[in-house]
Amino acid sequence: MFDAVVLFREALYGALVIGLACSVIGVYVVLRRIVFVGAALAELSSAGIALALWLEGQSLMLGLATHPIALALILTIGGALFFGAGGGRGRIPPDATVGVTYAVAGAAGILLISKAAVGEAHDIFLAGNILGITRADTLVLLAVAIPVLVIHAVFYKEFLFVSFDRETARTLGYNINIWNLLLYFTLGVVIAFAMQSAGVMLVFNFLVLPAVTGLLVSRSMGGVFLWSVVSALVASLIGFTLSVRFDLPTSPAIIAVSGVAVLVAFLIRLAQRR
Amino acid sequence: MGDLVRFDGATLGYGRRVVLSDLTFAISEGDFLGMVGPNGAGKTTILRAILRTLKPLHGTITHTPNIRFGYVPQRDQVDYNFPLTVVDVVLMGRYDRIGLGRRPGERDRDLACKALQHVGILDLADQSLNLLSGGQKQRTLIARALVGEPNVLVLDEPTSGMDLVSTTQILGLVRQLHERNNLTVLMVSHALNEVANYVERIALVMNGGFRIGPVDEIMTQPVLSAMYGIPVDVDSFNGHRIVVARREGTTDANV
């Protein structure tokens, strides 16, 4: 079993980097109640990849298909900035706008990939292809994750303040729009790159479940971040190993372990209350 | 006493929608002002203009240089799902002084503890925010406003949803802060009976109208009846002013 894990070690490293980056940002995603923004951005990213592949089939934009990240980034960051700016505040409630984006982007991705000349299996978008991660992919993921994590470490108190009590932050001179956009921008960048390998389901998992585990276990922000990261990394490691050992699809195996972590955290919380 | 904030013919609103027009008044150093009116009358709009987060559509609003607000938001504006302790929240009042990307230091923590002591909940410093009672949460938010060393304390509906005991304690604390520390206080509320017995001046915001003056001048039957648009009676009980809407079929007790 160990040999098999070593064989796929580059994929494991990639999963760990994605888990690390998503589980940090996921704390804000869960606390700010924007989990479906994360899902909608993941769908936008998959629509971007599908669009690149479809365009290649039409011989319209050769080259983009080999770098589908370009279109995925444009759509995801565009969506992130749109939601960060309030998601078209007006008659339509923001969560409905998120829902429209999720449904339309998800459907568009599937439609485009079904007609793409280099069409891959549709479920790649849902389940991802985590075992296909190469060393180069991991290095790219690291190059994205490190600056994002540094931004979140340096501006922790600013992100915390505008997320916790935006009106008071505004009275103290914080430009709420700028900080929101920066937070959503980092979210969009991480999702766009993670989606290339991990797929909608696993990215959504890393954005939500580890943070929920952290919130159930810890009563401080530092503790929540720590437990979120630890549970994401441990779930990746165990899920990956189990998928190799029992010949299971990797992403669902990691998600299943994340789910068990949430359940254990919930039981711990229950025990603490008694 | 100099003016800290001055409105000169200011019209306030959002986009093309005018909420209140031609406002002219000032908040002076040492003032203890209550702004009262029903929900939707425009209190929050005036508050935002005072706090410089809303620019006037017309007219001018002048703030004295170096003015610093200590803002206490409505309790439900804060998200209690965040796993923060009381002292974590109080420290936020110093975030702008600490500077971008820097962490609170020992001095900031000392000041946070002093602010908590000031409002009487130092023993709760390490308590989780979401385990506090309504009154304790309000004291935490007041401590956060004080730790920034403001010259104007602004409270938005500080007693909303509180029981009689907590309401009395919070209003007593605010009055104490005004009297002992000579802090300028602006308190926004929809409850005239609560505010009128603590503040020195009242600004009434209702039905598109605005009137400001000393409590004795505002708390009269003609002024309040005109502002509310219904007949009201103003009475006094044990030194407390009470305003009640007159029931149909009854007449003016003073006639």
Side-chain angles (χ1 to χ4, degrees):
Chain A
M1 184 178 74
F2 185 71
D3 290 344
V5 173
V6 170
L7 186 66
F8 290 112
R9 64 183 182 282
E10 294 302 335
L12 177 60
Y13 297 155
L16 291 173
V17 174
I18 292 170
L20 173 67
C22 288
S23 62
V24 169
I25 299 183
V27 173
Y28 292 105
V29 170
V30 171
L31 282 172
R32 294 178 63 134
R33 299 180 175 92
I34 55 168
V35 290
F36 288 106
V37 170
L41 292 178
E43 290 291 2
L44 274 174
S45 182
S46 75
I49 300 167
L51 182 59
L53 296 174
W54 180 79
L55 287 172
E56 193 202 27
Q58 306 301 310
S59 303
L60 292 173
M61 294 175 74
L62 269 175
L64 270 182
T66 52
H67 298 288
I69 186 67
L71 278 179
L73 258 181
I74 290 170
L75 284 186
T76 314
I77 291 175
L81 297 181
F82 173 72
F83 292 128
R89 277 171 286 213
R91 287 185 182 181
I92 310 296
D95 58 341
T97 313
V98 174
V100 169
T101 308
Y102 177 84
V104 172
I110 292 171
L111 290 173
L112 287 166
I113 201 69
S114 71
K115 293 296 175 189
V118 290
E120 297 170 33
H122 297 176
D123 62 356
I124 288 290
F125 284 92
L126 199 61
N129 181 24
I130 200 107
L131 291 179
I133 293 181
T134 63
R135 169 153 294 196
D137 293 333
T138 304
L139 291 175
V140 170
L141 285 168
L142 268 178
V144 171
I146 290 172
V148 165
L149 293 176
V150 167
I151 287 172
H152 276 266
V154 171
F155 299 120
Y156 161 72
K157 85 177 192 306
E158 284 76 20
F159 285 136
L160 174 66
F161 200 7
V162 299
S163 300
F164 174 68
D165 183 358
R166 54 188 293 159
E167 276 304 309
T168 304
R170 200 195 303 269
T171 65
L172 288 184
Y174 284 81
N175 188 325
I176 304 300
N177 290 334
I178 296 285
W179 288 108
N180 271 344
L181 288 176
L182 183 59
L183 182 64
Y184 277 72
F185 175 79
T186 58
L187 175 64
V189 169
V190 165
I191 287 176
F193 278 92
M195 270 295 301
Q196 306 296 308
S197 330
V200 174
M201 210 160 59
L202 188 58
V203 170
F204 189 60
N205 164 75
F206 278 140
L207 284 173
V208 180
L209 273 70
V212 171
T213 303
L215 282 164
L216 284 168
V217 172
S218 180
R219 289 181 180 148
S220 71
M221 282 301 290
V224 171
F225 278 111
L226 180 69
W227 280 107
S228 181
V229 168
V230 167
S231 67
L233 298 183
V234 169
S236 300
L237 200 58
I238 296 176
F240 198 91
T241 308
L242 289 177
S243 78
V244 171
R245 171 71 179 83
F246 297 105
D247 192 22
L248 296 168
T250 310
S251 295
I254 294 173
I255 296 168
V257 177
S258 298
V260 171
V262 171
L263 184 64
V264 170
F266 177 70
L267 293 174
I268 290 172
R269 182 67 170 247
L270 269 186
Q272 283 173 340
R273 280 186 184 169
R274 285 180 182 172
Chain B
M1 297 280 186
D3 291 342
L4 296 173
V5 184
R6 167 163 284 283
F7 284 59
D8 283 306
T11 296
L12 305 177
Y14 305 92
R16 291 180 187 170
R17 189 170 69 89
V18 171
V19 177
L20 289 158
S21 56
D22 201 24
L23 296 176
T24 299
F25 71 98
I27 300 173
S28 306
E29 212 177 325
D31 214 343
F32 191 4
L33 175 66
M35 195 186 305
V36 182
N39 294 332
K43 301 189 301 290
T44 303
T45 304
I46 297 177
L47 190 64
R48 284 183 178 158
I50 290 170
L51 293 170
R52 292 182 290 202
T53 58
L54 180 73
K55 288 181 179 170
L57 300 174
H58 303 290
T60 57
I61 302 171
T62 316
H63 293 81
T64 193
N66 303 322
I67 191 168
R68 189 171 167 85
F69 294 104
Y71 175 59
V72 182
Q74 294 188 25
R75 273 195 335 282
D76 57 6
Q77 195 176 294
V78 170
D79 192 337
Y80 296 99
N81 284 319
F82 278 65
L84 296 166
T85 61
V86 168
V87 76
D88 288 336
V89 175
V90 175
L91 279 169
M92 287 178 182
R94 294 198 56 79
Y95 275 7
D96 64 320
R97 288 188 183 268
I98 293 167
L100 212 58
R102 298 178 67 187
R103 296 280 192 271
E106 207 53 45
R107 183 169 177 270
D108 300 306
R109 288 181 196 286
D110 287 346
L111 289 169
C113 288
K114 275 183 191 165
L116 283 170
Q117 194 167 28
H118 214 82
V119 300
I121 54 166
L122 179 59
D123 54 321
L124 299 176
D126 295 320
Q127 180 77 268
S128 288
L129 187 66
N130 61 4
L131 297 178
L132 302 182
S133 68
Q136 289 167 337
K137 284 174 183 164
Q138 198 62 57
R139 283 173 189 264
T140 302
L141 297 178
I142 292 173
R144 182 178 67 174
L146 294 176
V147 80
E149 300 166 298
N151 38 24
V152 184
L153 182 65
V154 179
L155 304 102
D156 192 0
E157 301 281 4
T159 58
S160 176
M162 278 190 190
D163 60 33
L164 184 68
V165 175
S166 300
T167 297
T168 309
Q169 287 174 343
I170 290 296
L171 291 176
L173 171 66
V174 173
R175 187 167 180 163
Q176 196 182 71
L177 290 169
H178 166 69
E179 287 174 353
R180 283 195 193 167
N181 302 52
N182 196 29
L183 197 60
T184 306
V185 177
L186 167 62
M187 191 157 61
V188 176
S189 175
H190 65 276
L192 180 61
N193 281 327
E194 284 176 9
V195 171
N197 291 296
Y198 287 88
V199 300
E200 291 159 4
R201 290 202 306 151
I202 291 179
L204 286 176
V205 190
M206 50 188 70
N207 303 326
F210 180 83
R211 178 146 184 182
I212 189 168
V215 173
D216 289 339
E217 182 188 309
I218 297 294
M219 292 293 284
T220 60
Q221 191 202 35
V223 170
L224 293 177
S225 294
M227 288 297 286
Y228 277 103
I230 57 168
V232 300
D233 289 320
V234 182
D235 215 331
S236 178
F237 179 75
N238 266 359
H240 291 270
R241 292 184 183 83
I242 301 167
V243 180
V244 287
R246 195 176 303 152
R247 283 181 297 172
E248 280 183 38
T250 57
T251 54
D252 186 347
N254 298 323
V255 175

